[in-house]
Amino acid sequence: MRLSRASGSRLTVGGSAIASPLSPRYFRLTAHSSVKVAMATSSITEQPAGAPTHQRRDRRRTLAAATICAGILISTLDLTIVNVAFPAIGADFTDASVADLSWILNGYAIVFAALLIPAGRFADRFGMKNVFMTGLGLFTVASGLCAVAGSVDALNAARLLQAVGAAALGPTSMGLLMVTYGAEQRAKAMRVWATASGVAAASGPLVGGVLVNVDWPWIFLVNLPIGVLAVIVGARVIAPGRHPSKERQPMPDLFGSALLAVAIGLLALGIVKAPDWGWGTGKVLGALVGSMILIAVLLFRSSRHTSPVIDLSLLRIRDFSMANVASAFYYVAFAAGVLSVSLWCQNVWGWSALATGMAMAPGNLMLPFLSILSAKLVAKLGQVLSVVFGSTVLAIGSAWWAVAVTVEPNYVWGMLPGVLLTRIGMGLSLAPLMGASTRELPATAVATGSGLNNMFRQVGFVLGVSLLIVIIGNPSDSEAALTAYRAGWWFTAAASLAASLTILALRIDRPKKNA
């Protein structure tokens, strides 16, 4: 929303893609199949006779790791760097409606959700390096297209292409780091991944604020030199990481992925267009009913496909299913909370993108350290109670905004405590939530289950953005905006509490006490 304080005119909404800061545990799970591949293949440090010297091998390994981290960096940074550019993008596309602009946020999440599982299976079939390099090149090209987009439709299309590239990078980056460092240095590979993703996620809003002060296309242009250099160097130094089996893996169900994308898209379309079309109109009902029909078709197809998008046998595991529902609620809260703060600071308080990024920085910079505390919390409480604790703190932070934020800027007392509380809640609960979602799965199903869990998270993200846009609406002045945003923050708190209550349906794990 953009609120003209001088004229008191209507709020206008602009958009860019946001997503949850990606926890280091996320790709550790979603790339599990690639990790197994990596453990079964030879490290680039295992050279035959006549291989280069140790110094040369170390230099090659460092270059390979740096290239992989570059892919992690730009894809993760782009998920958070765009947050603060949301109003600036909308200011350039003033003729676009709220619903049109919302697809800059939702389109990315929908395509990412639909392609994550197929991308992992493509990596098993065609090799991790091939899929990673293809994704890296595609993401880089799409970033350039985003920067030169002259319309909302063009930007939406480029964002969809970015999501395809990001989906390819996701399941392969951790596996390739495993190949690079070898089985004996698995812990180091994980630390490298966690550092790259943590730094990118934490610094995104601040970097985005600096770049938006120049012009919003720079949030995409910054990816070009990094991506091009990574493609050139990676082609030479990254190990192949191919699947050790001589048998070709089955092709993933791409038609099923298309069904999933269209189904989620229709659901989002029905929600965001409902205020304009009317909830009871044929267009809205048609979109919602069409979404349900396509989901039913997808489930039917998944029950018969050899490489389905949704493994129905996993959904029969009660703890896994309930954890996925909790994940969806959690990401509803996450998406709505992050978007609302960016919109409020810039469009109601009238802050610059840089000031908004700095306002978020204290909480975001805590995230890498909170992941360490999260592990200690799990050791004391177990995964389930850790998720309950963190989600409750997240709800309290959102409720704080609803109670304390005022039309006149009151950052220290009104906004900052909520920023800190919500990030503490996220940092302490996200990793155990992901762990709880796969703990009851057999080892052979962890990779597929992790991808399915991420799909539920992305669906929650789409719903969070769509419902927040409907709740905020188009208030005519500051006081109306305050009422609307308070309703949005109470909604965010309710979604967080729903995640807490849902996760309690799981079997509570009891940490073993040291003797």
Side-chain angles (χ1 to χ4, degrees):
M1 296 285 167
R2 177 166 295 277
L3 177 61
S4 174
R5 303 177 67 89
S7 63
S9 62
R10 67 179 180 87
L11 298 172
T12 60
V13 172
S16 70
I18 63 171
S20 55
L22 295 180
S23 164
R25 308 294 179 88
Y26 156 56
F27 281 139
R28 189 182 308 171
L29 292 172
T30 58
H32 189 274
S33 59
S34 297
V35 171
K36 292 191 294 182
V37 172
M39 303 298 283
T41 56
S42 297
S43 165
I44 64 171
T45 60
E46 298 171 355
Q47 303 287 343
T53 64
H54 284 292
Q55 185 177 11
R56 187 173 300 175
R57 289 199 304 268
D58 288 345
R59 184 163 56 248
R60 181 183 179 89
R61 181 171 61 186
T62 300
L63 282 174
T67 303
I68 298 166
C69 287
I72 299 169
L73 177 69
I74 61 175
S75 59
T76 304
L77 189 66
D78 207 63
L79 292 172
T80 56
I81 198 175
V82 187
N83 295 355
V84 294
F86 194 84
I89 295 174
D92 273 3
F93 302 124
T94 55
D95 294 336
S97 67
V98 173
D100 293 334
L101 291 167
S102 71
W103 291 102
I104 301 173
L105 299 114
N106 284 340
Y108 187 101
I110 290 169
V111 172
F112 186 81
L115 294 184
L116 184 67
I117 293 176
R121 289 174 176 157
F122 271 121
D124 289 341
R125 181 180 174 88
F126 298 110
M128 288 184 293
K129 178 180 179 179
N130 292 333
V131 174
F132 178 86
M133 295 299 295
T134 300
L136 184 59
L138 194 60
F139 190 91
T140 303
V141 171
S143 296
L145 294 176
C146 287
V148 300
S151 67
V152 172
D153 290 339
L155 182 55
N156 282 333
R159 287 291 292 161
L160 298 183
L161 196 61
Q162 264 195 326
V164 176
L169 292 173
T172 54
S173 55
M174 175 61 79
L176 286 173
L177 281 175
M178 291 293 184
V179 173
T180 300
Y181 285 101
E184 71 282 358
Q185 297 190 67
R186 179 179 182 182
K188 182 175 182 178
M190 289 184 174
R191 287 196 302 271
V192 170
W193 194 99
T195 300
S197 58
V199 168
S203 60
L206 186 57
V207 174
V210 172
L211 295 174
V212 170
N213 268 6
V214 180
D215 201 359
W216 68 260
W218 281 97
I219 64 175
F220 300 112
L221 290 173
V222 71
N223 296 331
L224 298 186
I226 300 174
V228 170
L229 183 61
V231 168
I232 294 173
V233 176
R236 296 177 58 86
V237 301
I238 294 179
R242 285 192 173 277
H243 198 286
S245 174
K246 294 182 179 180
E247 296 183 4
R248 282 279 180 149
Q249 300 297 308
M251 283 291 291
D253 183 11
L254 295 180
F255 181 71
S257 296
L259 287 175
L260 175 63
V262 175
I264 302 173
L266 285 176
L267 179 61
L269 177 66
I271 293 173
V272 299
K273 278 291 190 179
D276 296 330
W277 292 346
W279 283 99
T281 61
K283 290 181 179 180
V284 171
L285 293 177
L288 299 180
V289 171
S291 175
M292 298 302 105
I293 291 174
L294 290 180
I295 290 175
V297 173
L298 173 61
L299 294 175
F300 178 80
R301 182 177 177 85
S302 294
S303 68
R304 285 161 172 74
H305 201 278
T306 56
S307 184
V309 174
I310 299 177
D311 190 336
L312 298 181
S313 65
L314 299 184
L315 295 181
R316 299 187 186 100
I317 302 175
R318 182 177 176 278
D319 274 15
F320 178 70
S321 296
M322 295 307 297
N324 283 329
V325 174
S327 296
F329 279 127
Y330 186 94
Y331 267 75
V332 167
F334 166 78
V338 173
L339 175 59
S340 65
V341 170
S342 180
L343 290 175
W344 177 268
C345 287
Q346 294 186 67
N347 299 325
V348 181
W349 280 355
W351 287 7
S352 68
L354 179 58
T356 301
M358 294 180 67
M360 298 180 188
N364 291 336
L365 293 174
M366 294 168 59
L367 291 173
F369 305 100
L370 288 170
S371 64
I372 300 174
L373 293 178
S374 174
K376 296 181 178 180
L377 186 65
V378 170
K380 290 183 176 295
L381 301 180
Q383 290 175 329
V384 171
L385 293 182
S386 294
V387 174
V388 172
F389 178 78
S391 296
T392 303
V393 174
L394 175 58
I396 293 172
S398 299
W400 182 279
W401 288 329
V403 172
V405 169
T406 62
V407 171
E408 293 301 321
N410 60 335
Y411 175 72
V412 173
W413 172 250
M415 183 61 71
L416 180 59
V419 168
L420 297 177
L421 286 169
T422 55
R423 295 318 186 263
I424 290 171
M426 291 175 188
L428 294 181
S429 58
L430 185 55
L433 177 59
M434 294 176 183
S437 69
T438 56
R439 69 181 189 186
E440 296 298 324
L441 298 180
T444 55
V446 169
T448 301
S450 299
L452 190 57
N453 176 252
N454 186 61
M455 186 186 73
F456 273 88
R457 298 201 305 270
Q458 297 303 318
V459 171
F461 171 81
V462 172
L463 290 175
V465 169
S466 302
L467 291 171
L468 180 73
I469 289 175
V470 172
I471 292 170
I472 291 175
N474 190 35
S476 58
D477 55 43
S478 297
E479 290 300 330
L482 179 60
T483 300
Y485 276 85
R486 280 178 173 171
W489 286 322
W490 284 121
F491 163 73
T492 303
S496 302
L497 290 177
S500 294
L501 294 175
T502 305
I503 204 70
L504 284 174
L506 275 66
R507 175 182 55 81
I508 296 179
D509 47 328
R510 303 287 183 182
K512 295 180 179 179
K513 297 184 180 295
N514 295 327

